[in-house]
Amino acid sequence: MVWFGFGFNGFRQIYKAVHSSEKKDYLEKNVEVKVTVPVRLASCNSDGTNEKAHDHDASTSKEVVCGKAEEKVIEIRASWSRRGTLILGADAHVCLSGFGTSAQTVCDCVPESRGCRDAQLTERHLTLLFGDRAECWSFDTWGGLPVWKMEFSEMAGMGSPVALPLVPGGYITTNPPMFRTLSPQLRAVSLALGLEHAVLLTASGSVYTWGLGSHGQLGHGGLEQEEEPRVVEALWGVAMAGVAAGSWHSASISTGGDMYTWGWNESGQLGMPARGLQEERKHTDQVEGTGSDTDGEDSRGVFISIQAFPALVDLPEDSEVTKVSCGSRHTAAVTGDYGQLGHGSSCSSDQPLHVDFFSDNALFVLDVVCGPWNTFVSVVEREQSES
């Protein structure tokens, strides 16, 4: 498995993999703030040094990690200015790239993360999940003791693994008091946190939301706030397999591979016509002299600013979505048939677009993770995915 990244790179969180002989020249160059073409991310050793080019390719999941070759799983966590690389295996740990890390290294490995099972990254905190506890560390006061800690003994006996922000008995928020309870009757299996709202998936495939609703991000048809989890009735009877939350929008995918979005659509992040983007395209056409005599209206009809109910996204025929992730104002999805990724490019788009880079390079997309302003994609070579 190999990870690629593209989008906002103002803090070098998208650290390109280069040969050791090219590293010095790469570091001396100015930071490419906007990465428009996917680049393969560099791994790091325990001291944060760059991987060698031959240590890693897309055809194998065996890589050099912390100085030794081993089978492992790599997951990405992203905030606005940082990227967290969660390396799972015998020596599980988290490495950070971006703001606050050395400009001369790929990443800084976090000693406090040794042995963790999961990690959650925000601008202010790194939360770590272990077998018997959860810890939250502040970037403002790093070192010493965590700013919050919770111990539990029930985790080993749970039927299914817990994934952050879920923890036994509740979930970890992005702001104090850090922990909030959840009713066990919900039987939560996945939870996505937006800027001020939450989207929960239950074991039965139902979706619950709560929090701020000012942009329709709760999917209940109004803009009111919800203090407690409330089922999204518009999705009732359709079993869901995944959920995601952006700053002010939400998404879910059904067990049949359909994708639903709702909330704010200012940048076309719902895959629906956005007036602002239409006006932007019209202005660009006028500047470039390519405009037409039409009034610039979208052929799909009415523009959508706020979609307060879940709406089925119009994807290419036979596309079955297997993964979805939301950034601040963009949405990315992986389809199972072709391993292609739908996203907004450097120019905002209110229609799902394919990133041809991966299929053109015979790469099969496995997963996608959105940071607020960037996107990270894990791939394998197509031959490996079919074996």
Side-chain angles (χ1 to χ4, degrees), residues 8-52:
F8 177 65
N9 187 39
F11 300 93
R12 285 191 186 271
Q13 58 267 61
I14 301 176
Y15 201 115
K16 182 179 179 181
V18 296
H19 193 278
S20 56
S21 62
E22 303 172 346
K23 180 184 175 184
K24 182 178 179 181
D25 291 339
Y26 176 73
L27 292 173
E28 291 176 350
K29 292 181 179 179
N30 293 327
V31 175
E32 186 180 2
V33 176
K34 183 184 293 185
V35 178
T36 58
V37 177
V39 297
R40 185 168 71 84
L41 302 179
S43 298
C44 65
N45 297 318
S46 58
D47 59 356
T49 57
N50 196 11
E51 65 169 351
K52 295 180 180 179

Short mmCIF file of all heavy atoms in Angstrom, two decimals, residues 8-52:
data_model
loop_
_atom_site.label_atom_id
_atom_site.label_comp_id
_atom_site.label_asym_id
_atom_site.label_seq_id
_atom_site.Cartn_x
_atom_site.Cartn_y
_atom_site.Cartn_z
N PHE A 8 -3.64 21.48 -0.55
CA PHE A 8 -2.91 22.49 0.22
C PHE A 8 -1.69 21.88 0.89
O PHE A 8 -1.75 20.87 1.56
CB PHE A 8 -3.85 23.08 1.27
CG PHE A 8 -3.18 24.09 2.17
CD1 PHE A 8 -2.72 25.29 1.66
CD2 PHE A 8 -3.01 23.82 3.52
CE1 PHE A 8 -2.10 26.23 2.49
CE2 PHE A 8 -2.40 24.75 4.36
CZ PHE A 8 -1.95 25.95 3.84
N ASN A 9 -0.53 22.57 0.70
CA ASN A 9 0.75 22.05 1.20
C ASN A 9 1.58 23.18 1.82
O ASN A 9 2.81 23.18 1.74
CB ASN A 9 1.53 21.38 0.05
CG ASN A 9 2.78 20.68 0.52
OD1 ASN A 9 2.78 20.04 1.58
ND2 ASN A 9 3.86 20.79 -0.24
N GLY A 10 0.90 24.15 2.43
CA GLY A 10 1.60 25.31 2.95
C GLY A 10 2.57 25.02 4.07
O GLY A 10 3.44 25.85 4.38
N PHE A 11 2.47 23.83 4.70
CA PHE A 11 3.36 23.49 5.81
C PHE A 11 4.15 22.21 5.54
O PHE A 11 4.62 21.56 6.47
CB PHE A 11 2.53 23.33 7.10
CG PHE A 11 1.80 24.57 7.49
CD1 PHE A 11 0.49 24.78 7.08
CD2 PHE A 11 2.42 25.55 8.26
CE1 PHE A 11 -0.19 25.93 7.44
CE2 PHE A 11 1.75 26.70 8.61
CZ PHE A 11 0.44 26.90 8.19
N ARG A 12 4.28 21.85 4.26
CA ARG A 12 5.00 20.63 3.85
C ARG A 12 4.35 19.36 4.40
O ARG A 12 5.03 18.36 4.63
CB ARG A 12 6.48 20.67 4.27
CG ARG A 12 7.36 21.58 3.43
CD ARG A 12 8.83 21.34 3.75
NE ARG A 12 9.72 22.27 3.10
CZ ARG A 12 10.25 22.11 1.90
NH1 ARG A 12 9.94 21.03 1.20
NH2 ARG A 12 11.05 23.02 1.39
N GLN A 13 3.05 19.39 4.62
CA GLN A 13 2.40 18.16 5.08
C GLN A 13 2.29 17.12 3.98
O GLN A 13 2.12 15.94 4.24
CB GLN A 13 1.02 18.45 5.69
CG GLN A 13 0.03 19.16 4.78
CD GLN A 13 0.06 20.65 4.91
OE1 GLN A 13 1.07 21.28 4.66
NE2 GLN A 13 -1.07 21.24 5.28
N ILE A 14 2.39 17.58 2.71
CA ILE A 14 2.47 16.64 1.59
C ILE A 14 3.94 16.55 1.20
O ILE A 14 4.42 17.27 0.32
CB ILE A 14 1.60 17.12 0.42
CG1 ILE A 14 0.15 17.26 0.86
CG2 ILE A 14 1.68 16.15 -0.76
CD1 ILE A 14 -0.78 17.82 -0.20
N TYR A 15 4.66 15.69 1.88
CA TYR A 15 6.11 15.57 1.70
C TYR A 15 6.38 14.51 0.64
O TYR A 15 6.15 13.34 0.84
CB TYR A 15 6.77 15.18 3.03
CG TYR A 15 8.25 15.51 3.11
CD1 TYR A 15 8.73 16.44 4.03
CD2 TYR A 15 9.16 14.86 2.29
CE1 TYR A 15 10.07 16.73 4.13
CE2 TYR A 15 10.50 15.15 2.37
CZ TYR A 15 10.96 16.08 3.29
OH TYR A 15 12.30 16.35 3.38
N LYS A 16 6.86 14.96 -0.51
CA LYS A 16 7.06 14.09 -1.66
C LYS A 16 8.20 13.10 -1.42
O LYS A 16 9.24 13.44 -0.87
CB LYS A 16 7.36 14.93 -2.89
CG LYS A 16 7.55 14.16 -4.18
CD LYS A 16 7.83 15.11 -5.32
CE LYS A 16 8.06 14.38 -6.63
NZ LYS A 16 8.35 15.31 -7.74
N ALA A 17 7.99 11.85 -1.84
CA ALA A 17 9.04 10.84 -1.76
C ALA A 17 10.06 11.09 -2.85
O ALA A 17 9.73 11.13 -4.03
CB ALA A 17 8.44 9.44 -1.92
N VAL A 18 11.32 11.29 -2.46
CA VAL A 18 12.40 11.51 -3.42
C VAL A 18 13.57 10.61 -3.05
O VAL A 18 13.71 10.15 -1.92
CB VAL A 18 12.87 12.99 -3.42
CG1 VAL A 18 11.75 13.89 -3.90
CG2 VAL A 18 13.35 13.41 -2.04
N HIS A 19 14.42 10.35 -4.03
CA HIS A 19 15.63 9.56 -3.78
C HIS A 19 16.54 10.34 -2.84
O HIS A 19 16.56 11.58 -2.84
CB HIS A 19 16.34 9.25 -5.09
CG HIS A 19 17.40 8.20 -4.96
ND1 HIS A 19 18.66 8.48 -4.52
CD2 HIS A 19 17.35 6.86 -5.19
CE1 HIS A 19 19.37 7.36 -4.48
NE2 HIS A 19 18.59 6.37 -4.90
N SER A 20 17.30 9.63 -2.03
CA SER A 20 18.17 10.28 -1.06
C SER A 20 19.14 11.27 -1.72
O SER A 20 19.49 12.29 -1.13
CB SER A 20 18.95 9.23 -0.27
OG SER A 20 19.67 8.38 -1.15
N SER A 21 19.54 10.98 -2.96
CA SER A 21 20.47 11.87 -3.66
C SER A 21 19.82 13.18 -4.07
O SER A 21 20.50 14.16 -4.35
CB SER A 21 21.04 11.16 -4.90
OG SER A 21 20.00 10.85 -5.81
N GLU A 22 18.48 13.20 -4.11
CA GLU A 22 17.75 14.40 -4.52
C GLU A 22 17.17 15.16 -3.33
O GLU A 22 16.58 16.22 -3.51
CB GLU A 22 16.62 14.01 -5.47
CG GLU A 22 17.09 13.26 -6.71
CD GLU A 22 15.92 12.72 -7.51
OE1 GLU A 22 14.80 12.71 -6.99
OE2 GLU A 22 16.14 12.33 -8.67
N LYS A 23 17.33 14.60 -2.13
CA LYS A 23 16.66 15.18 -0.97
C LYS A 23 17.11 16.61 -0.70
O LYS A 23 16.29 17.49 -0.43
CB LYS A 23 16.90 14.31 0.26
CG LYS A 23 16.24 14.85 1.51
CD LYS A 23 16.57 14.01 2.73
CE LYS A 23 16.00 14.62 3.99
NZ LYS A 23 16.38 13.88 5.19
N LYS A 24 18.40 16.89 -0.76
CA LYS A 24 18.90 18.22 -0.43
C LYS A 24 18.31 19.26 -1.35
O LYS A 24 17.86 20.33 -0.91
CB LYS A 24 20.44 18.24 -0.51
CG LYS A 24 21.03 19.59 -0.13
CD LYS A 24 22.56 19.56 -0.17
CE LYS A 24 23.14 20.91 0.19
NZ LYS A 24 24.63 20.91 0.13
N ASP A 25 18.31 18.97 -2.66
CA ASP A 25 17.75 19.92 -3.62
C ASP A 25 16.26 20.13 -3.37
O ASP A 25 15.75 21.25 -3.48
CB ASP A 25 17.97 19.42 -5.05
CG ASP A 25 19.43 19.46 -5.45
OD1 ASP A 25 20.20 20.21 -4.82
OD2 ASP A 25 19.81 18.72 -6.38
N TYR A 26 15.57 19.07 -3.02
CA TYR A 26 14.13 19.16 -2.77
C TYR A 26 13.84 20.04 -1.56
O TYR A 26 12.94 20.89 -1.58
CB TYR A 26 13.55 17.76 -2.55
CG TYR A 26 12.08 17.75 -2.19
CD1 TYR A 26 11.10 18.04 -3.14
CD2 TYR A 26 11.67 17.46 -0.89
CE1 TYR A 26 9.75 18.03 -2.80
CE2 TYR A 26 10.32 17.45 -0.55
CZ TYR A 26 9.37 17.73 -1.51
OH TYR A 26 8.05 17.73 -1.17
N LEU A 27 14.62 19.88 -0.50
CA LEU A 27 14.40 20.65 0.72
C LEU A 27 14.73 22.13 0.53
O LEU A 27 14.15 22.99 1.19
CB LEU A 27 15.24 20.08 1.87
CG LEU A 27 14.83 18.70 2.39
CD1 LEU A 27 15.85 18.20 3.40
CD2 LEU A 27 13.45 18.75 3.00
N GLU A 28 15.67 22.42 -0.37
CA GLU A 28 16.07 23.81 -0.59
C GLU A 28 15.09 24.58 -1.47
O GLU A 28 15.13 25.80 -1.53
CB GLU A 28 17.47 23.85 -1.19
CG GLU A 28 18.56 23.40 -0.22
CD GLU A 28 19.93 23.37 -0.86
OE1 GLU A 28 20.00 23.51 -2.11
OE2 GLU A 28 20.92 23.19 -0.14
N LYS A 29 14.21 23.85 -2.14
CA LYS A 29 13.23 24.52 -2.99
C LYS A 29 12.14 25.16 -2.15
O LYS A 29 11.88 24.75 -1.02
CB LYS A 29 12.61 23.52 -3.96
CG LYS A 29 13.57 22.98 -5.02
CD LYS A 29 12.85 22.01 -5.94
CE LYS A 29 13.78 21.47 -7.01
NZ LYS A 29 13.09 20.50 -7.90
N ASN A 30 11.50 26.17 -2.71
CA ASN A 30 10.36 26.77 -2.03
C ASN A 30 9.22 25.76 -1.94
O ASN A 30 9.05 24.91 -2.82
CB ASN A 30 9.88 28.02 -2.78
CG ASN A 30 10.90 29.14 -2.73
OD1 ASN A 30 11.62 29.28 -1.75
ND2 ASN A 30 10.96 29.95 -3.78
N VAL A 31 8.44 25.87 -0.89
CA VAL A 31 7.33 24.95 -0.70
C VAL A 31 6.29 25.16 -1.80
O VAL A 31 5.90 26.28 -2.10
CB VAL A 31 6.68 25.18 0.68
CG1 VAL A 31 5.43 24.31 0.82
CG2 VAL A 31 7.66 24.89 1.79
N GLU A 32 5.88 24.06 -2.42
CA GLU A 32 4.80 24.12 -3.40
C GLU A 32 3.49 24.13 -2.62
O GLU A 32 3.01 23.10 -2.15
CB GLU A 32 4.86 22.90 -4.33
CG GLU A 32 3.87 22.95 -5.47
CD GLU A 32 3.98 21.73 -6.37
OE1 GLU A 32 4.80 20.85 -6.08
OE2 GLU A 32 3.23 21.68 -7.36
N VAL A 33 2.90 25.32 -2.48
CA VAL A 33 1.74 25.48 -1.61
C VAL A 33 0.54 24.71 -2.13
O VAL A 33 -0.22 24.14 -1.35
CB VAL A 33 1.39 26.97 -1.45
CG1 VAL A 33 0.13 27.14 -0.61
CG2 VAL A 33 2.56 27.71 -0.79
N LYS A 34 0.38 24.66 -3.43
CA LYS A 34 -0.76 23.97 -4.02
C LYS A 34 -0.25 22.82 -4.89
O LYS A 34 0.32 23.03 -5.95
CB LYS A 34 -1.61 24.92 -4.85
CG LYS A 34 -2.86 24.28 -5.44
CD LYS A 34 -3.61 25.25 -6.34
CE LYS A 34 -4.19 26.41 -5.57
NZ LYS A 34 -5.01 27.28 -6.44
N VAL A 35 -0.46 21.59 -4.43
CA VAL A 35 -0.05 20.40 -5.18
C VAL A 35 -1.25 19.95 -5.99
O VAL A 35 -2.23 19.43 -5.44
CB VAL A 35 0.42 19.29 -4.23
CG1 VAL A 35 0.80 18.03 -5.02
CG2 VAL A 35 1.60 19.76 -3.39
N THR A 36 -1.21 20.16 -7.30
CA THR A 36 -2.37 19.86 -8.14
C THR A 36 -2.34 18.47 -8.75
O THR A 36 -3.38 17.97 -9.18
CB THR A 36 -2.47 20.90 -9.27
OG1 THR A 36 -1.26 20.89 -10.03
CG2 THR A 36 -2.70 22.30 -8.70
N VAL A 37 -1.16 17.86 -8.80
CA VAL A 37 -1.03 16.49 -9.31
C VAL A 37 -0.64 15.58 -8.16
O VAL A 37 0.27 15.92 -7.40
CB VAL A 37 0.04 16.42 -10.43
CG1 VAL A 37 0.21 14.99 -10.90
CG2 VAL A 37 -0.35 17.32 -11.59
N PRO A 38 -1.31 14.45 -7.97
CA PRO A 38 -0.98 13.56 -6.85
C PRO A 38 0.50 13.19 -6.82
O PRO A 38 1.09 12.86 -7.86
CB PRO A 38 -1.85 12.32 -7.11
CG PRO A 38 -3.01 12.85 -7.89
CD PRO A 38 -2.44 13.92 -8.77
N VAL A 39 1.11 13.26 -5.63
CA VAL A 39 2.51 12.86 -5.45
C VAL A 39 2.58 11.78 -4.36
O VAL A 39 1.81 11.80 -3.41
CB VAL A 39 3.40 14.06 -5.06
CG1 VAL A 39 3.42 15.09 -6.16
CG2 VAL A 39 2.96 14.69 -3.75
N ARG A 40 3.51 10.85 -4.55
CA ARG A 40 3.66 9.79 -3.56
C ARG A 40 4.32 10.35 -2.31
O ARG A 40 5.31 11.07 -2.38
CB ARG A 40 4.52 8.64 -4.12
CG ARG A 40 4.62 7.45 -3.17
CD ARG A 40 5.22 6.24 -3.86
NE ARG A 40 6.63 6.40 -4.14
CZ ARG A 40 7.59 6.15 -3.26
NH1 ARG A 40 7.30 5.77 -2.03
NH2 ARG A 40 8.85 6.30 -3.60
N LEU A 41 3.74 10.03 -1.16
CA LEU A 41 4.25 10.54 0.10
C LEU A 41 5.46 9.75 0.57
O LEU A 41 5.51 8.52 0.41
CB LEU A 41 3.16 10.47 1.18
CG LEU A 41 1.86 11.22 0.90
CD1 LEU A 41 0.89 11.02 2.06
CD2 LEU A 41 2.13 12.70 0.66
N ALA A 42 6.41 10.46 1.14
CA ALA A 42 7.58 9.80 1.71
C ALA A 42 7.22 9.17 3.05
O ALA A 42 6.42 9.70 3.81
CB ALA A 42 8.70 10.82 1.90
N SER A 43 7.81 8.02 3.30
CA SER A 43 7.72 7.40 4.63
C SER A 43 8.84 7.98 5.48
O SER A 43 9.64 8.79 5.04
CB SER A 43 7.86 5.88 4.53
OG SER A 43 6.81 5.33 3.78
N CYS A 44 8.91 7.55 6.73
CA CYS A 44 9.99 8.04 7.58
C CYS A 44 10.50 6.92 8.46
O CYS A 44 9.79 5.95 8.74
CB CYS A 44 9.54 9.21 8.44
SG CYS A 44 8.28 8.79 9.65
N ASN A 45 11.75 7.05 8.87
CA ASN A 45 12.34 6.14 9.82
C ASN A 45 12.14 6.69 11.23
O ASN A 45 11.62 7.78 11.42
CB ASN A 45 13.83 5.95 9.52
CG ASN A 45 14.03 5.31 8.16
OD1 ASN A 45 13.32 4.38 7.79
ND2 ASN A 45 14.98 5.83 7.39
N SER A 46 12.56 5.96 12.22
CA SER A 46 12.32 6.37 13.60
C SER A 46 12.96 7.70 13.94
O SER A 46 12.50 8.40 14.84
CB SER A 46 12.84 5.28 14.55
OG SER A 46 14.22 5.05 14.33
N ASP A 47 14.00 8.08 13.24
CA ASP A 47 14.65 9.36 13.51
C ASP A 47 14.11 10.48 12.61
O ASP A 47 14.61 11.59 12.62
CB ASP A 47 16.16 9.25 13.34
CG ASP A 47 16.56 8.81 11.93
OD1 ASP A 47 15.64 8.53 11.12
OD2 ASP A 47 17.76 8.76 11.66
N GLY A 48 13.06 10.15 11.80
CA GLY A 48 12.47 11.16 10.93
C GLY A 48 13.18 11.34 9.62
O GLY A 48 12.83 12.21 8.84
N THR A 49 14.19 10.52 9.32
CA THR A 49 14.92 10.68 8.07
C THR A 49 14.11 10.12 6.92
O THR A 49 13.23 9.28 7.09
CB THR A 49 16.28 9.96 8.13
OG1 THR A 49 16.05 8.57 8.44
CG2 THR A 49 17.15 10.58 9.20
N ASN A 50 14.45 10.58 5.71
CA ASN A 50 13.70 10.20 4.52
C ASN A 50 13.96 8.76 4.14
O ASN A 50 15.07 8.24 4.29
CB ASN A 50 14.11 11.13 3.38
CG ASN A 50 13.14 11.10 2.23
OD1 ASN A 50 12.05 10.54 2.35
ND2 ASN A 50 13.53 11.72 1.14
N GLU A 51 12.92 8.09 3.63
CA GLU A 51 13.09 6.74 3.13
C GLU A 51 13.93 6.76 1.85
O GLU A 51 13.99 7.76 1.15
CB GLU A 51 11.73 6.13 2.81
CG GLU A 51 11.04 6.85 1.66
CD GLU A 51 9.82 6.11 1.17
OE1 GLU A 51 9.62 4.98 1.60
OE2 GLU A 51 9.10 6.67 0.36
N LYS A 52 14.58 5.68 1.54
CA LYS A 52 15.27 5.55 0.26
C LYS A 52 14.26 5.15 -0.81
O LYS A 52 13.28 4.48 -0.54
CB LYS A 52 16.37 4.48 0.37
CG LYS A 52 17.48 4.87 1.35
CD LYS A 52 18.53 3.80 1.40
CE LYS A 52 19.65 4.16 2.38
NZ LYS A 52 20.68 3.11 2.47
#
